[in-house]
């Protein structure tokens, strides 16, 4: 690898073929400049976590389709103290992993991609939402067990939108088939005026008969509602 400073190191092309020997090739990188590392299909082992921890200013890690992610989220966030963004789509995550992540990194995590982890339910997301009070971006595509309560709140549950809408910049809820009228209503109340383009027109068509438009998500820049029922 070149010694030229890089803010992002993208190793996704290696996939599961990435080995410690390959990682050794990154020795010439100026690790103090790198803030993002993207991986795909590799085992998140103690050795890999140690390598990630060697980047002192690492802020974001992508672990698409990686193995062993759930049990190792806790050591990952502990060894990477500046980590504030985590992409973990298709990693087999469960509620217990999100709960552990929330307890370990609740004061730091700002961006989360939990897409296509179908075993995640309202329980894990609700706990995560209540503990992580700095969330700005949340991708939940393909969470087929996600229901309205995780977004809107219920008895004993605050809900993701009431807690985080003022800070949200990005929200992805595509292909969440169990979200119903309650979720749509909550979205209308929190994000209608913050979204522009075709999706805004779709929301406008869905708003209540009184034309209610709330202004609780002033920073939202992206909202994906594809394939909602």
């Amino acid at each position: 690898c070149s010694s030229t400073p890089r803010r992002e190191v993208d190793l996704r092309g290696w996939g599961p073929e990435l080995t410690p020997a390959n990682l050794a090739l990154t020795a010439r990188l100026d690790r103090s400049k790198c803030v993002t590392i993207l991986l795909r299909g590799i085992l998140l082992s103690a050795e890999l976590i140690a390598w990630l921890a060697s980047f002192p200013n690492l802020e974001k890690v992508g672990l698409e389709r990686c193995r062993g992610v759930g049990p190792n989220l806790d050591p990952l966030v502990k060894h990477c103290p500046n980590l504030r963004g985590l992409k973990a789509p298709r990693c087999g995550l469960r509620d217990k992993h999100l709960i552990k992540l929330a307890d370990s990194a609740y004061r730091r995590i700002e961006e989360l991609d939990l897409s296509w982890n179908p075993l995640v339910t309202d329980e894990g997301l609700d706990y995560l939402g209540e503990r992580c009070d700095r969330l700005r971006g949340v991708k939940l595509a393909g969470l087929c067990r996600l229901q309205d309560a995780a977004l809107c709140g219920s008895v004993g549950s605050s809900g993701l939108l009431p807690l985080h809408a003022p800070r949200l910049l990005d929200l992805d809820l595509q292909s969440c088939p169990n979200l119903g009228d309650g979720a749509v209503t909550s979205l209308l109340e929190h994000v209608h005026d913050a979204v522009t383009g075709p999706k805004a027109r779709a929301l406008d068509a869905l708003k209540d008969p009184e034309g209610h438009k709330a202004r609780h998500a002033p920073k939202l820049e992206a909202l994906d509602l594809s394939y909602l029922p």
Side-chain angles (χ1 to χ4, degrees):
C1 287
S2 168
S3 58
T4 302
R6 296 186 183 183
R7 291 183 59 81
E8 177 179 288
V9 176
D10 189 345
L11 300 175
R12 289 175 295 180
W14 286 92
E17 303 303 318
L18 189 64
T19 66
N22 300 137
L23 294 178
L25 298 176
T26 66
R28 295 182 60 196
L29 287 174
D30 184 347
R31 301 194 178 198
S32 66
K33 301 294 185 182
C34 180
V35 297
T36 301
I37 294 179
L38 304 175
L39 304 167
R40 178 188 289 136
I42 192 174
L43 175 66
L44 185 61
S45 61
E47 186 174 32
L48 181 58
I49 291 173
W51 177 77
L52 291 170
S54 70
F55 293 81
N57 297 310
L58 186 63
E59 297 180 359
K60 299 180 182 181
V61 173
L63 299 170
E64 181 185 353
R65 296 181 184 271
C66 287
R67 295 166 285 122
V69 172
N72 288 301
L73 283 179
D74 186 46
L76 174 65
V77 298
K78 286 182 177 177
H79 286 85
C80 299
N82 294 312
L83 192 67
R84 56 184 180 84
L86 178 66
K87 297 181 179 182
R90 292 183 166 91
C91 289
L93 298 180
R94 298 172 177 262
D95 289 342
K96 63 181 181 181
H97 303 137
L98 302 191
I99 290 170
K100 191 70 172 178
L101 173 65
D103 287 338
S104 301
Y106 66 96
R107 293 188 182 278
R108 291 187 276 131
I109 293 296
E110 298 178 4
E111 299 175 20
L112 275 175
D113 185 349
L114 304 174
S115 302
W116 307 104
N117 286 289
L119 296 180
V120 169
T121 72
D122 290 10
E123 178 186 359
L125 189 63
D126 187 61
Y127 189 87
L128 189 76
E130 290 191 351
R131 293 285 285 167
C132 298
D133 58 5
R134 298 185 179 182
L135 288 177
R136 296 186 298 112
V138 186
K139 294 183 181 294
L140 305 173
L143 298 193
C144 57
R145 302 188 185 194
L146 194 65
Q147 298 187 15
D148 291 0
L151 293 182
C152 317
S154 62
V155 177
S157 169
S158 299
L160 188 69
L161 286 171
L163 286 173
H164 299 288
R167 287 182 304 278
L168 282 179
L169 297 173
D170 188 2
L171 178 62
D172 186 347
L173 297 170
Q174 66 167 310
S175 300
C176 293
N178 285 320
L179 293 181
D181 293 345
V184 173
T185 299
S186 187
L187 284 166
L188 289 171
E189 291 175 349
H190 288 90
V191 308
H192 189 286
D193 283 355
V195 185
T196 59
K199 289 185 176 64
R201 291 194 291 274
L203 285 175
D204 189 62
L206 288 170
K207 68 185 179 183
D208 65 55
E210 297 179 358
H212 175 70
K213 296 170 68 178
R215 304 172 184 273
H216 302 311
K219 298 180 180 179
L220 193 70
E221 297 174 350
L223 172 65
D224 195 333
L225 302 176
S226 306
Y227 309 113
L228 280 185

